[in-house]
């Protein structure tokens, strides 16, 4: 009996020595540096998250469980590195704002009374390249400022080097000019002015009083690029490839791009004015504190919407749809057409009114909230709303020019922009 009492402690000590040194009696020992592997609780960060499957095992058959806890994070990081790099470039280039670019060229094509064609597609490609070049150059130029105000941005956080961002800006600019050159010399002329404006804004004008005007000029030139490229690509009635009115203008000593740009100037000015307001608000998005600027931009937005509706059908001839609508609705239609909105019985006119309302609905409330509470988050939200509002504004301009199909195609970009904006910030 005495032997059993003396042997019991020795047996317990031998059993405890078999357990791992960091895990005895269900508790962790060894201080805060001890790392345990627990597939249920996730202690030590080794358990897979509910929405992230565990990496597949690379062990040979019969060796399941042979991999250690230290080996799992290495496998996950190797798989996630390309995705993280891709996300960093998406943040640098602000790809969620890309869907506001194609509408410039499409609205320009509608403004000159042409259907989108090869020249329009080349103008869209050139616009996308130059837009992304401006985004990369913007972050390169603001890398020191972002290190203080936005340390999470790709360059100050070290995810993208300044040299890579500057190189991307140069390559994208060259690609944009090459695509514009394919659309003809007039389009290349406009694209060169657009590229020069983008680089001047990012490198110097952004921090001056001329910054909003430079950004407005860039957006206006982008719409004129689409108008010029589309008009230059139209074949003459005889089937020749000579551009419409461009050669005749060259013989008269006028700039080759001027005749193609003139019909699109009103739409370009409207889009430029909206861009001026968005840029003016964005100058306060990191610090906030401005109440007058959002209010002034809200008034400008309302005035632009009224201008779109007022000028929509001033010079346009009556369409067959309008005549049929009047024949059906009779006196009611005549009373409605005499109102402040004009020929509301025209389906295209109704589309323009609807798209203009969507423009106001997208840009207006965030500006009002930023005016009531000029904090950085609400100011940034107002900037994002202004960027998103460019799409319905472009669609309204296309509808005003009598191109409902183009207007609906531009509005089709809204769901894509909205879904991508949830993943990558617009500002």
């Amino acid at each position: 009996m005495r032997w059993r009492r003396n042997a019991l402690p020795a047996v317990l000590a031998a059993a405890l020595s078999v357990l791992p040194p960091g895990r005895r009696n269900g508790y962790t020992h060894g201080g805060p540096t001890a790392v345990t592997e627990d597939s249920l609780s996730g202690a030590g960060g080794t358990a897979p998250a509910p929405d992230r499957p565990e990496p597949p095992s690379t062990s040979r058959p019969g060796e399941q469980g042979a991999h250690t806890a230290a080996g799992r994070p290495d496998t996950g990081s190797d798989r996630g590195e390309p995705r993280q790099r891709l996300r960093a470039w998406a943040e640098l280039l602000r790809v969620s704002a890309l869907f506001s670019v194609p509408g410039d060229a499409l609205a320009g094509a509608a403004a000159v009374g042409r259907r989108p064609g090869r020249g329009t597609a080349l103008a869209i490609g050139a616009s996308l390249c130059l837009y992304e070049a401006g985004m990369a150059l913007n972050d390169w130029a603001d890398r020191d400022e972002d290190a203080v105000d936005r340390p999470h941005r790709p360059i100050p956080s070290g995810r993208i080097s300044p040299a890579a961002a500057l190189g991307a800006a140069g390559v994208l600019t060259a690609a944009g000019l090459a695509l514009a050159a394919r659309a003809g010399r007039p389009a290349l002329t406009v694209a060169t002015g657009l590229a020069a404006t983008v680089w001047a804004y990012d490198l110097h004008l952004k921090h001056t009083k001329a910054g909003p005007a430079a950004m407005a000029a860039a957006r206006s030139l982008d719409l004129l690029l689409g108008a010029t490229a589309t008009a230059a690509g139209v074949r003459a009635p005889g089937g020749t490839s000579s551009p419409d009115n461009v050669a005749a203008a060259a013989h008269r000593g006028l700039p080759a791009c001027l005749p193609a740009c003139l019909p699109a100037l009103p739409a370009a000015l409207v889009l430029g004015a909206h861009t001026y307001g968005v840029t003016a608000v964005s100058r306060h998005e990191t610090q906030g504190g401005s109440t007058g600027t959002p209010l002034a931009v809200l008034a400008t937005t309302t005035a632009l919407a009224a201008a779109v509706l007022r000028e929509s059908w001033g010079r346009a001839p009556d369409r067959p749809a309008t005549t049929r609508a009047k024949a059906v609705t009779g006196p009611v239609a005549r009373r409605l057409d005499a109102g402040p909105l004009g020929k509301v019985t025209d389906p295209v006119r109704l589309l323009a009114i609807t798209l203009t309302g969507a423009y106001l609905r997208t840009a207006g409330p965030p500006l009002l909230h930023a005016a009531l509470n000029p904090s950085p988050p609400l100011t940034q939200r107002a900037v994002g709303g202004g960027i998103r509002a460019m799409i319905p504004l472009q669609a309204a301009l296309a509808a005003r020019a009598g191109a409902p199909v183009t207007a609906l195609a531009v509005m089709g970009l809204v769901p894509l922009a909205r879904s991508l904006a949830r993943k990558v910030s617009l500002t």
Side-chain angles (χ1 to χ4, degrees):
M1 195 67 178
R2 181 178 300 174
W3 176 87
R4 290 182 180 179
R5 283 196 302 266
N6 294 336
L8 183 59
V11 173
L12 291 176
L16 289 174
S17 65
V18 177
L19 295 175
R23 188 135 184 115
R24 296 178 180 178
N25 299 330
Y27 296 96
T28 303
H29 300 276
T33 58
V35 179
T36 63
E37 182 174 1
D38 189 343
S39 60
L40 295 179
S41 65
T46 58
D51 57 346
R52 184 176 66 248
E54 185 178 1
S57 175
T58 56
S59 58
R60 296 186 181 93
E63 295 181 354
Q64 286 83 359
H67 57 280
T68 63
R72 289 185 184 179
D74 292 338
T75 305
S77 62
D78 291 341
R79 288 198 331 169
E81 185 177 356
R83 181 178 299 178
Q84 295 173 2
R85 189 181 299 115
L86 183 62
R87 180 173 180 82
W89 279 103
E91 293 179 11
L92 178 76
L93 300 177
R94 294 176 178 85
V95 295
S96 56
L98 271 180
F99 295 101
S100 69
V101 177
D104 291 345
L106 293 173
V112 295
R114 307 294 186 185
R115 292 182 179 178
R118 175 180 176 272
T120 313
L122 290 172
I124 291 175
S127 299
L128 290 172
C129 290
L130 294 177
Y131 187 86
E132 293 291 49
M135 290 297 179
L137 186 64
N138 175 79
D139 276 27
W140 179 85
D142 287 350
R143 60 191 185 277
D144 295 333
E145 180 181 342
D146 287 344
V148 178
D149 295 332
R150 297 177 175 180
H152 62 278
R153 292 294 300 163
I155 293 180
S157 64
R159 291 176 291 162
I160 294 178
S161 66
L166 182 61
V171 171
L172 287 168
T173 301
L177 294 177
L179 288 172
R182 296 288 302 273
R185 186 175 298 177
L188 177 60
T189 303
V190 178
T192 302
L194 173 58
T197 305
V198 169
W199 280 74
Y201 172 82
D202 285 332
L203 297 181
H204 176 66
L205 296 178
K206 173 171 41 179
H207 300 292
T208 67
K209 293 182 179 180
M215 183 60 72
R219 271 290 178 172
S220 297
L221 286 172
D222 198 28
L223 188 144
L224 296 178
L225 174 60
T228 305
T230 303
V234 176
R235 293 182 178 272
T240 61
S241 58
S242 60
D244 185 20
N245 293 331
V246 174
H251 286 300
R252 291 195 301 267
L254 298 175
C257 61
L258 185 59
C261 292
L262 283 177
L265 276 179
L269 292 176
V270 169
L271 189 61
H274 172 78
T275 306
Y276 186 100
V278 175
T279 308
V281 175
S282 70
R283 295 165 78 92
H284 305 278
E285 63 180 342
T286 57
Q287 304 296 332
S290 175
T291 300
T293 301
L295 280 178
V297 174
L298 180 59
T300 303
T301 300
T302 306
L304 290 176
V308 171
L309 295 178
R310 184 175 62 250
E311 296 182 4
S312 292
W313 313 109
R315 295 181 303 272
D318 287 340
R319 294 177 178 82
T322 306
T323 305
R324 289 195 298 269
K326 286 185 177 182
V328 172
T329 55
V332 176
R334 285 194 293 270
R335 284 196 297 269
L336 289 174
D337 291 346
L341 295 179
K343 302 174 182 178
V344 296
T345 53
D346 186 351
V348 183
R349 176 64 171 173
L350 287 173
L351 178 62
I353 295 173
T354 302
L355 295 175
T356 305
Y359 164 64
L360 285 174
R361 176 65 182 84
T362 305
L367 287 171
L368 181 59
H369 294 160
L372 296 176
N373 181 11
S375 61
L378 290 182
T379 304
Q380 293 172 11
R381 188 175 300 175
V383 175
I387 295 174
R388 290 191 299 271
M390 288 183 182
I391 299 179
L393 178 59
Q394 294 158 349
L397 291 172
R400 182 189 73 168
V405 176
T406 301
L408 293 175
V410 173
M411 281 300 293
L413 300 173
V414 171
L416 300 176
R418 187 176 301 168
S419 62
L420 194 56
R422 297 190 184 101
K423 301 178 181 179
V424 181
S425 175
L426 285 168
T427 60

